Amino acid sequence: METSQAGIDEYERFVWRMNPPRITIDNTSSETATLFKVESSNRHGILLDVVQLIVDFQLRIRKAYISSDAGWFMDVFHVTDVSGNKVTDPKILAVIEQTISSSHEFSKPQVGLLPSVEHTVIELTGTDRPGLMSEISALLLHMHCNVVSAELWTHNMRVACLLHITDLTGGPICDSEKLSRIKESLCNVLGGDKDPRGARTDFASGITHSERRMHQLMFADRDYERGCDEEDDRPDSDGRITVENCDEKGYSVVNIECKNRHKLVFDTVCTLTDMQYVVFHATIDTEGPRAYQEYYIRHIDGCTLNSQAERRKLIKCLCAAIERRVTEVFIDQGHVLHIASSFWVERVGYK
């Protein structure tokens, strides 16, 4: 069985090499947006890779049409810059075209990745409370560590944080004993013994896209669980998320209607991908103050969401992924940038 699976994996790699992603950039078909048309052989996660690349260049996805049936991936993205204009910078267009066309696995480091070779990257999750970041910073200063940059998200009284630190010489911390002391001390600050869900401190083992990793940390910490009556637990909002089965087509259909904001599509696709769902078709419209997303999905094993519990969990996780950007804190070389946006989504239509 292992040999057979290895053979399948090698065949898939061969297909990807023979059919690398190709992008066509069209600045004439639409008066209001630049069209990115991407085609390649299909594989799990390729949609997230393309969306991630677009948002890393601070571009906005206004509309998207996605199709990945029959082993072939073909998407069209209507994209603008942050000001709502077409993307005309030849340098940006050239980098996007080269990045997509030259890598058949999207595995090479690109923008938005953690420079874990230059810094020591610490991952933290635990219970949120006032002054937590100050306590963490004071502890690291006391242990002769320099915080180069940090990213912190909070949601449902849970916190996730990525810390990029160095020693006082500006290099990564290589002393294993010192790393152990840092880990133990940070766990004490996070209050692991008093936290019924537990606190976690670890060191990043590789290069990962920072915002995707933040979603993964909060999902692993189960921030989508609210700790009260789940049937009545709905945030005040005017949004809507539903999951239904389309039996005649063999898909589960996810519909999301909510307030529009930057990186909304990335947050949605990231959650679906990391929960091991495959998007076969999708239509996205984020041109106005409200965003509409429709995804035809199956689990990676080919099954639809057949149980109410599975559908409900997906709705809760999508809701959490959208709400997490309500509070974001970024620290870069000692300068703190705090972004707060009033974004909520209602979860209704459980079936």
Side-chain angles (χ1 to χ4, degrees):
M1 178 63 69
E2 293 180 359
T3 302
S4 176
Q5 184 62 48
I8 292 173
D9 292 342
E10 188 59 36
Y11 174 75
E12 289 178 345
R13 294 190 190 98
F14 172 75
V15 171
W16 295 337
R17 288 194 295 268
M18 294 298 295
N19 299 279
R22 297 186 297 272
I23 181 171
T24 302
I25 299 175
D26 181 358
N27 251 325
T28 60
S29 297
S30 171
E31 296 181 357
T32 59
T34 299
L35 272 59
F36 290 175
K37 303 174 183 178
V38 184
E39 297 181 77
S40 78
S41 58
N42 193 23
R43 68 169 175 82
H44 183 58
I46 190 172
L47 174 60
L48 176 58
D49 289 329
V50 176
V51 171
Q52 177 178 296
L53 178 66
I54 292 172
V55 300
D56 279 344
F57 279 96
Q58 299 302 310
L59 304 178
R60 307 292 179 92
I61 298 173
R62 300 302 185 183
K63 289 184 180 180
Y65 305 95
I66 290 136
S67 178
S68 61
D69 255 343
W72 193 254
F73 175 83
M74 184 170 60
D75 294 357
V76 178
F77 298 90
H78 293 235
V79 177
T80 67
D81 61 19
V82 292
S83 301
N85 303 315
K86 288 185 178 184
V87 185
T88 57
D89 188 330
K91 293 182 180 179
I92 293 179
L93 294 176
V95 171
I96 291 175
E97 184 173 8
Q98 181 181 9
T99 302
I100 291 180
S101 301
S102 63
S103 176
H104 63 278
E105 292 187 359
F106 290 90
S107 58
K108 299 177 182 179
Q110 303 295 341
V111 291
L113 300 180
L114 302 178
S116 57
V117 175
E118 300 175 6
H119 310 144
T120 299
V121 182
I122 304 176
E123 301 176 345
L124 306 172
T125 57
T127 301
D128 187 26
R129 67 173 187 273
L132 177 60
M133 194 63 198
S134 296
E135 294 180 32
I136 292 174
S137 299
L139 171 65
L140 292 173
L141 179 63
H142 178 71
M143 301 190 74
H144 307 291
C145 299
N146 177 42
V147 179
V148 178
S149 63
E151 185 167 353
L152 181 145
W153 290 6
T154 66
H155 180 243
N156 285 345
M157 295 305 298
R158 305 299 297 175
V159 60
C161 183
L162 288 174
L163 295 165
H164 298 215
I165 67 172
T166 65
D167 57 23
L168 295 183
T169 66
I173 300 172
C174 302
D175 186 338
S176 58
E177 292 186 5
K178 183 174 182 178
L179 289 174
S180 297
R181 292 196 302 271
I182 291 172
K183 182 175 181 177
E184 182 179 359
S185 300
L186 286 172
C187 277
N188 291 333
V189 170
L190 286 167
D193 295 336
K194 301 176 183 178
D195 186 348
R197 202 180 296 182
R200 191 180 74 86
T201 303
D202 209 346
F203 298 98
S205 58
I207 297 177
T208 309
H209 187 272
S210 59
E211 295 185 359
R212 182 177 184 184
R213 188 58 186 151
M214 293 295 285
H215 278 300
Q216 291 173 341
L217 289 173
M218 298 214 80
F219 174 77
D221 193 52
R222 306 191 311 277
D223 71 311
Y224 53 86
E225 297 178 356
R226 296 179 176 266
C228 59
D229 188 352
E230 298 289 345
E231 294 297 330
D232 296 329
D233 180 33
R234 298 178 182 176
D236 296 330
S237 72
D238 58 354
R240 180 182 178 88
I241 301 178
T242 63
V243 178
E244 300 177 357
N245 278 349
C246 180
D247 295 330
E248 63 273 17
K249 300 282 188 177
Y251 299 113
S252 294
V253 184
V254 180
N255 276 285
I256 305 172
E257 176 189 349
C258 58
K259 293 178 182 178
N260 191 16
R261 64 160 172 79
H262 185 39
K263 298 186 180 180
L264 175 63
V265 177
F266 170 81
D267 294 335
T268 302
V269 173
C270 184
T271 300
L272 292 171
T273 302
D274 284 338
M275 292 185 73
Q276 300 297 299
Y277 293 111
V278 179
V279 176
F280 288 88
H281 302 280
T283 302
I284 297 166
D285 185 348
T286 64
E287 284 196 301
R290 298 190 65 76
Y292 303 88
Q293 302 176 74
E294 182 177 61
Y295 297 92
Y296 287 76
I297 68 170
R298 295 185 192 129
H299 195 268
I300 196 171
D301 61 8
C303 297
T304 57
L305 286 74
N306 295 319
S307 70
Q308 181 180 358
E310 188 177 11
R311 290 192 292 269
R312 183 172 179 80
K313 180 179 180 180
L314 176 58
I315 291 172
K316 291 165 60 180
C317 291
L318 287 171
C319 180
I322 294 169
E323 290 178 342
R324 284 170 191 150
R325 291 189 190 272
V326 171
T327 302
E328 300 175 276
V329 177
F330 303 96
I331 302 175
D332 186 12
Q333 298 291 350
H335 300 285
V336 179
L337 170 62
H338 178 264
I339 303 174
S341 60
S342 56
F343 179 84
W344 301 95
V345 60
E346 185 181 34
R347 302 170 305 173
V348 298
Y350 303 124
K351 292 191 175 182

